[in-house]
């Protein structure tokens, strides 16, 4: 078949080039051979030095067959000593597929590494904890994210979690700080502050914020 011919040609390309494995993965995906597609994309990921395409391809494949991707990563984890990038990959793929219990375990393992203790990882872990009703843990991770990167997105996340815990005054402070930090230009910050005002029965304030959003 044409697909098999193309695959044979792709296999003759440079085996040290991650693009070769991306193309093989694309061909396997077209043939709906999800397990081989996952293996090819994962090989590309290992060679790519942080390029986006292999990870984007694995995320795209996981929408077709999450288990094929997760099984490939778990197998790679069982064979590799360089587990940090694989935990990062598994955590993000699980997160983007709303497999929050899998994401929670992968982020937990990722955060065991000093190199994994980044603001974005803490923020994703906070969102994951919120999704599985570990709200106290979510706040702990959100606070770490804010401490490492005091930006609008992390403040909005902190506000959302404080609001979920019923700590409305703290939520209002965080969302107000996000509004100020963005010069009132961030719609999500305005909406989050409006929601907090509604929870505080401050309807007039909420309407003003929603009119700005």
């Amino acid at each position: 078949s044409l697909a098999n011919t193309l695959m044979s040609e792709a296999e003759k390309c440079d085996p040290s080039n991650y693009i070769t494995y991306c193309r093989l993965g694309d061909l396997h995906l077209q043939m709906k051979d999800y397990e081989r597609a996952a293996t090819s994309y994962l090989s590309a990921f290992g060679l790519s030095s942080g390029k986006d395409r292999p990870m984007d391809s694995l995320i795209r494949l996981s929408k077709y067959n999450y288990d094929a991707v997760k099984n490939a990563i778990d197998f790679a984890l069982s064979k590799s000593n360089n587990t940090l990038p694989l935990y990062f990959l598994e955590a993000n793929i699980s997160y983007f597929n709303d497999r929050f219990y899998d994401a929670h375990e992968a982020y937990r393992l990722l955060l065991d590494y000093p190199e994994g203790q980044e603001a974005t990882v803490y923020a994703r872990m906070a969102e994951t904890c919120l999704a599985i009703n570990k709200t106290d843990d979510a706040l702990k991770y959100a606070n770490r994210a804010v401490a490492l990167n005091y930006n609008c997105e992390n403040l909005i996340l902190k506000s959302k979690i404080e609001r979920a815990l019923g700590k409305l005054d703290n939520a209002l402070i965080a969302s107000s700080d996000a509004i100020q930090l963005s010069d009132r230009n961030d719609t999500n910050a305005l909406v989050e502050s409006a929601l907090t005002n509604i929870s505080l029965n401050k309807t007039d304030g909420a309407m003003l914020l929603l009119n700005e959003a």
Side-chain angles (χ1 to χ4, degrees):
S1 68
L2 176 60
N4 284 325
T5 301
L6 290 171
M7 197 171 298
S8 296
E9 290 301 316
E11 286 171 345
K12 295 174 186 175
C13 297
D14 183 1
S16 64
N17 188 336
Y18 78 95
I19 293 294
T20 298
Y21 292 97
C22 284
R23 289 172 178 162
L24 281 169
D26 291 344
L27 289 168
H28 286 305
L29 179 56
Q30 288 176 24
M31 296 171 69
K32 297 185 179 180
D33 190 342
Y34 300 125
E35 287 76 15
R36 288 184 178 177
T39 299
S40 294
Y41 288 140
L42 198 55
S43 295
F45 178 80
L47 293 169
S48 66
S49 301
K51 299 291 192 303
D52 289 338
R53 181 173 171 182
M55 183 169 174
D56 290 343
S57 296
L58 282 161
I59 291 172
R60 177 165 55 93
L61 173 59
S62 71
K63 301 295 183 181
Y64 292 97
N65 193 317
Y66 171 80
D67 288 338
V69 176
K70 187 176 188 308
N71 290 340
I73 296 172
D74 286 343
F75 180 77
L77 280 165
S78 72
K79 300 295 183 180
S80 175
N81 292 322
N82 186 22
T83 53
L84 176 66
L86 291 170
Y87 285 135
F88 175 82
L89 181 63
E90 185 166 46
N92 283 297
I93 286 173
S94 300
Y95 174 86
F96 285 122
N97 281 278
D98 296 339
R99 302 295 186 102
F100 293 117
Y101 287 98
D102 288 345
H104 182 272
E105 177 64 10
Y107 281 127
R108 184 187 68 78
L109 292 167
L110 181 58
L111 286 168
D112 283 341
Y113 293 80
E115 302 94 328
Q117 295 167 12
E118 298 179 351
T120 53
V121 178
Y122 281 113
R124 286 275 172 81
M125 182 58 143
E127 292 181 89
T128 299
C129 287
L130 185 61
I132 60 175
N133 296 316
K134 292 180 176 287
T135 318
D136 288 328
D137 286 345
L139 182 58
K140 176 183 71 175
Y141 290 116
N143 284 335
R144 289 291 298 138
V146 169
L148 289 170
N149 189 356
Y150 190 81
N151 66 12
C152 191
E153 186 178 358
N154 289 338
L155 286 166
I156 293 168
L157 175 59
K158 174 177 167 60
S159 176
K160 185 190 299 185
I161 296 167
E162 296 277 21
R163 183 161 53 84
L165 286 166
K167 299 178 179 180
L168 300 179
D169 290 337
N170 290 345
L172 190 59
I173 290 169
S175 60
S176 297
D177 286 349
I179 291 171
Q180 184 176 3
L181 196 62
S182 68
D183 292 326
R184 308 191 76 85
N185 286 324
D186 190 294
T187 298
N188 291 327
L190 292 164
V191 170
E192 174 57 33
S193 191
L195 291 171
T196 304
N197 273 276
I198 290 169
S199 297
L200 288 164
N201 295 317
K202 296 180 178 180
T203 310
D204 291 341
M207 290 305 299
L208 288 171
L209 289 161
L210 289 174
N211 286 334
E212 278 191 73

